[in-house]
Amino acid sequence: MQLDVFTLTPHAFAWLTEQRPVATVLGSELELRLFSYRDTTPLRAAKVDDEPYGGGAGMVLRVDVVAAALDAAYGGVPEHRVVALTPQGRQLTQDVVEELVQEDRLTLLSARFEGFDERVVRHLASDAISIGPYVLSNGDLPAMVLVDALARRLPGAMRDESGTWESFSPELEGGLEYPQYTRPPDFRGWRVPEVLLSGDHGRIEQWRRDQSRRRSLL
Ligand SMILES: C[S@@+](CC[C@H](N)C(=O)[O-])C[C@H]1O[C@@H](n2cnc3c(N)ncnc32)[C@H](O)[C@@H]1O
């Protein structure tokens, strides 16, 4: 998958690229390209945003700046999906991640301050996604959330079955993961459920399914 992120702070993604599973699939299943709006802005002094028409606080990311960035990268608005990250978008869920990971190429647009000029969302983007009903200061964390969620669904990103039997997976009927425990088996009298120590894989699987359903109220 080729994943392109347009941002004002490409360096902010350095940390993410060192973390698993992103680091694991980088250069093989994942090509992550970072673009700065400032590198291609047609405005002087690397300006990218402006005051909102009609007044009000904050600055708005200009449509001509985003268009210039897309022109430089793709020669225009690309055919593949372009996602504007905005609290006003459709909410990110595991189903949306599974939908997006089918794409060979994907572009994420991040904004800051008051967000995008609406014409970016309407005419340059083909999708708009929110990572939750709250407002963050800029779109870089939402972009990183999406990059991580997508990376872990790419082939080879996860060891064994750790990417399958987990919350929201089909294996758990879209429900929440069952409780996990590790050593010690007894800590301050808080004991690990006996079934998990039994070695009986059939009982363990049934217990896990029951717990998952109970947690998910399925
Ligand atoms: C301060 S927010 C702008 C909020 C906008 N004025 C509003 O009221 O909807 C600045 C930028 O951060 C990003 N952002 C903030 N919260 C987000 C969320 N929940 N999901 C996705 N992106 C978000 C978007 O790129 C947004 O344009």
Side-chain angles (χ1 to χ4, degrees):
M1 172 182 240
Q2 181 184 291
L3 200 40
D4 294 343
V5 181
F6 290 74
T7 169
L8 285 160
T9 49
H11 57 273
F13 290 75
W15 170 85
L16 181 70
T17 60
E18 293 168 357
Q19 310 304 312
R20 287 184 186 168
V22 174
T24 310
V25 290
L26 260 187
S28 54
E29 294 294 331
L30 178 65
E31 184 187 358
L32 179 64
R33 305 193 305 172
L34 299 164
F35 298 89
S36 170
Y37 296 117
R38 290 195 198 286
D39 289 344
T40 49
T41 179
L43 308 175
R44 278 190 297 165
K47 188 174 158 137
V48 294
D49 38 25
D50 224 319
E51 294 161 1
Y53 280 126
M59 300 288 271
V60 176
L61 186 59
R62 288 176 54 136
V63 63
D64 49 353
V65 168
V66 179
L70 296 178
D71 286 351
Y74 311 116
V77 177
E79 303 247 308
H80 64 261
R81 198 188 305 221
V82 177
V83 176
L85 293 159
T86 162
Q88 299 160 33
R90 62 189 178 123
Q91 199 120 321
L92 184 64
T93 61
Q94 192 61 37
D95 282 347
V96 174
V97 172
E98 302 301 332
E99 173 196 318
L100 294 178
V101 82
Q102 304 304 321
E103 307 280 351
D104 291 329
R105 302 182 73 185
L106 190 63
T107 291
L108 307 181
L109 303 178
S110 165
R112 65 172 183 176
F113 299 142
E114 280 310 304
F116 299 103
D117 181 304
E118 185 64 16
R119 290 166 291 186
V120 173
V121 182
R122 286 190 177 218
H123 302 293
L124 301 180
S126 45
D127 200 351
I129 289 180
S130 162
I131 65 160
Y134 44 82
V135 179
L136 298 169
S137 304
N138 68 61
D140 290 343
L141 287 173
M144 289 189 218
V145 165
L146 202 40
V147 171
D148 182 88
L150 290 167
R152 66 202 313 281
R153 300 303 297 143
L154 293 173
M158 310 286 287
R159 269 189 299 159
D160 306 329
E161 292 185 332
S162 52
T164 51
W165 289 76
E166 63 179 3
S167 296
F168 316 118
S169 64
E171 288 79 1
L172 293 176
E173 301 164 293
L176 301 177
E177 194 185 55
Y178 42 81
Q180 297 276 19
Y181 295 88
T182 187
R183 295 183 183 87
D186 187 345
F187 181 70
R188 297 180 179 171
W190 306 327
R191 295 187 57 77
V192 173
E194 176 277 328
V195 61
L196 296 178
L197 308 175
S198 69
D200 183 336
H201 296 295
R203 273 182 67 213
I204 291 171
E205 184 173 332
Q206 190 54 52
W207 181 85
R208 286 178 164 172
R209 284 192 186 283
D210 291 346
Q211 291 288 319
S212 170
R213 288 194 179 121
R214 192 175 302 174
R215 287 188 154 185
S216 317
L217 301 174
L218 288 177

